[in-house]
Amino acid sequence: KYPQKKWWWFLVFAALPVLAWGMLLLTAAAHQAAAQGVPVTVNEEEPNAPQKVSTTADLPVVGSFTNLQKLLEKAHSTTLLHGGRLIRSSLAVGAGADAAVDNSMSLQKSAQQTPAPAAEAEDYATTNLQVEGVDEADIVKTDGQYLYQVNKGRIIIARAYPPGEMKICSTLQFNDTGFTPRELYVDHNRLVVIGTAHQEIPVQPMPKNPQEPLLPQSQKSIAIYPPPPYRQSTLKTIIFDISNKENVRQLREIELEGHYVSSRKIGPALYLVANKSVGDYWIMPADAENSAPSYRDTAIKEDFIKIGYDRIRYFPGFLTPNYLLVAGLNLEKSTAPVKVQTYLGASENIYASLEHLYVAVANYGSGDPEIKRPPSGPDTMLYKIALDNGTVAYTAQGKVPGTVLNQCSMD
């Protein structure tokens, strides 16, 4: 018995090295497959299919003021209101949009503090960017030789390099225009100044919808004609030619009715985002002319252009008494008209990649207005907009739980 037992233990000890080598070979093969991108099957179950996303073709249009009232009345009846307005986050639209601008500007990237070597003017500090290649507006910009600064309602252009030739070349004043500059971009020989203004916008007749029902004579009200203009805050962008730093020429103005949210520049393409409150839509007459937003582009004409309801789309399931305006243009094409997309919605924070713009807005869900039950949530609605050389096109939307702190929470 003893020799048989000894022989059995010998076989066990002899097999252990073979098993160890086998395990090492299998581990090495798995690591090599992962490094080469070869998929390794872990679970035979199919992953969950992604949800279908909405596209521009899927989004319905508002169509008419009557339909706008119906949409917002439906949202009003299913969403808990506070002070007559939809509950929003601290970055409220409309009256609170100035706070959103201040918050956005507080997050803007100041110029990097690392000094450029004195020997090479091409090596200079730029704005800190969240995404490489996606420029963000700032109060100070440089091209390595000149400084461009927003300073007490003015724009100062100063020569900074070489140090022995430092001087102020130009000072752009806006005292007589009611324009307040906030941020700027520099794109080769173009200077883009973004700010806020208050304009008296003439009331313009809306495009008539042949399917719009006519009001009975008893329901028609007497109105003043021509109607007086209404005063509205605007997002104003002024583009200058800075080929000659001592003789700066204004080239173009673009104005969006509403409050400034943010902007981005990708190469020569500039993108602007604004919010405009619909206002007290429930007391507006059915023939109200100033409820839809407008814009102005001096490359087309000096007057404001009213955006028809047939060009305003909305997001089913999430409606707010606010318009979201996204505009795009190519700075190298000075005569090409600005492209403006308008949605019945809002924006609070934005994130941009080289190809897409993501707009985030808090959604505090639905409550019960009769028993004053607080809404569920909160969560965040995300809108994805394609960017292509100054043109914009809505492509998809989604929802995630929670709220966004600021733009740096998206990446």
Side-chain angles (χ1 to χ4, degrees), residues 145 147 158-169:
Q145 188 174 8
L147 287 175
R159 185 183 181 97
Y161 186 90
E165 301 180 14
M166 292 181 64
K167 66 174 183 177
I168 295 179
C169 300

Side-chain angles (χ1 to χ4, degrees), residues 10 15 30 68 133 172 175 179 190 277 279 289 298 318 332-333 343 391 407:
F10 175 78
L68 171 68
L172 306 181
N175 295 335
F179 172 71
R190 297 287 187 269
S277 175
E289 303 287 358
T298 57
F318 183 64
E332 294 179 347
K333 301 178 180 179
Y343 309 95
T391 61
Q407 72 173 57

Side-chain angles (χ1 to χ4, degrees), residues 100-403:
V101 172
D102 294 338
N103 181 79
S104 175
M105 292 188 64
S106 68
L107 295 172
Q108 292 302 321
K109 276 43 70 181
S110 300
Q112 296 178 8
Q113 300 300 316
T114 304
E120 297 183 7
E122 292 79 9
D123 187 8
Y124 56 89
T126 60
T127 302
N128 290 334
L129 303 177
Q130 185 178 9
V131 178
E132 184 177 359
V134 181
D135 197 5
E136 301 183 35
D138 209 337
I139 60 174
V140 178
K141 291 281 190 179
T142 181
D143 57 10
Q145 188 174 8
Y146 293 88
L147 287 175
Y148 308 85
Q149 180 190 18
V150 179
N151 185 306
K152 298 180 180 179
R154 307 166 298 170
I155 302 297
I156 295 179
I157 302 176
R159 185 183 181 97
Y161 186 90
E165 301 180 14
M166 292 181 64
K167 66 174 183 177
I168 295 179
C169 300
S170 295
T171 301
L172 306 181
Q173 302 279 2
F174 306 97
N175 295 335
D176 300 331
T177 62
F179 172 71
T180 302
R182 290 184 176 270
E183 302 172 325
L184 50 80
Y185 290 98
V186 176
D187 184 74
H188 301 293
N189 61 345
R190 297 287 187 269
L191 174 66
V192 179
V193 181
I194 299 174
T196 57
H198 290 83
Q199 297 286 358
E200 289 190 349
I201 302 177
V203 174
Q204 303 174 19
M206 292 294 296
K208 297 300 181 181
N209 185 352
Q211 299 180 353
E212 189 80 17
L214 297 176
L215 290 176
Q217 186 66 33
S218 60
Q219 296 184 20
K220 294 183 179 180
S221 58
I222 300 175
I224 300 174
Y225 189 86
Y230 62 98
R231 191 168 180 81
Q232 173 66 46
S233 297
T234 62
L235 160 58
K236 189 172 183 178
T237 303
I238 307 178
I239 302 173
F240 296 92
D241 181 353
I242 53 173
S243 301
N244 185 345
K245 303 300 187 294
E246 297 184 1
N247 184 22
V248 178
R249 297 185 303 109
Q250 180 174 325
L251 298 177
R252 184 178 184 180
E253 290 184 5
I254 295 172
E255 233 171 324
L256 301 178
E257 188 178 355
H259 299 271
Y260 180 40
V261 176
S262 193
S263 62
R264 293 294 187 271
K265 190 179 78 70
I266 304 173
L270 177 67
Y271 302 98
L272 306 166
V273 181
N275 283 331
K276 180 190 181 298
S277 175
V278 174
D280 298 329
Y281 61 89
W282 51 83
I283 62 174
M284 289 181 181
D287 58 349
E289 303 287 358
N290 63 342
S291 56
S294 59
Y295 69 96
R296 185 173 72 95
D297 182 3
T298 57
I300 305 174
K301 62 179 183 178
E302 292 290 337
D303 299 331
F304 278 86
I305 301 172
K306 184 66 68 174
I307 300 173
Y309 292 115
D310 58 339
R311 295 174 52 196
I312 301 176
R313 297 182 178 271
Y314 66 92
F315 309 103
F318 183 64
L319 298 174
T320 60
N322 192 87
Y323 293 113
L324 167 64
L325 290 85
V326 182
L329 67 147
N330 191 318
L331 297 174
E332 294 179 347
K333 301 178 180 179
S334 58
T335 60
V338 63
K339 305 294 184 181
V340 181
Q341 295 288 330
T342 308
Y343 309 95
L344 189 61
S347 62
E348 292 173 357
N349 290 284
I350 71 169
Y351 166 81
S353 65
L354 292 173
E355 297 178 348
H356 294 94
L357 176 73
Y358 299 87
V359 178
V361 58
N363 174 25
Y364 289 85
S366 299
D368 190 334
E370 296 182 357
I371 63 176
K372 304 299 182 183
R373 184 181 66 195
S376 60
D379 50 35
T380 297
M381 302 298 298
L382 294 171
Y383 308 135
K384 182 180 179 182
I385 299 173
L387 309 177
D388 183 15
N389 199 28
T391 61
V392 294
Y394 171 85
T395 59
Q397 73 180 73
K399 182 172 67 174
V400 295
T403 58

Side-chain angles (χ1 to χ4, degrees), residues 44-68:
E44 296 297 334
E45 296 180 0
E46 289 293 332
N48 294 329
Q51 296 181 353
K52 180 183 177 181
V53 296
S54 300
T55 62
T56 302
D58 296 328
L59 288 180
V61 297
V62 173
S64 66
F65 181 76
T66 300
N67 193 40
L68 171 68

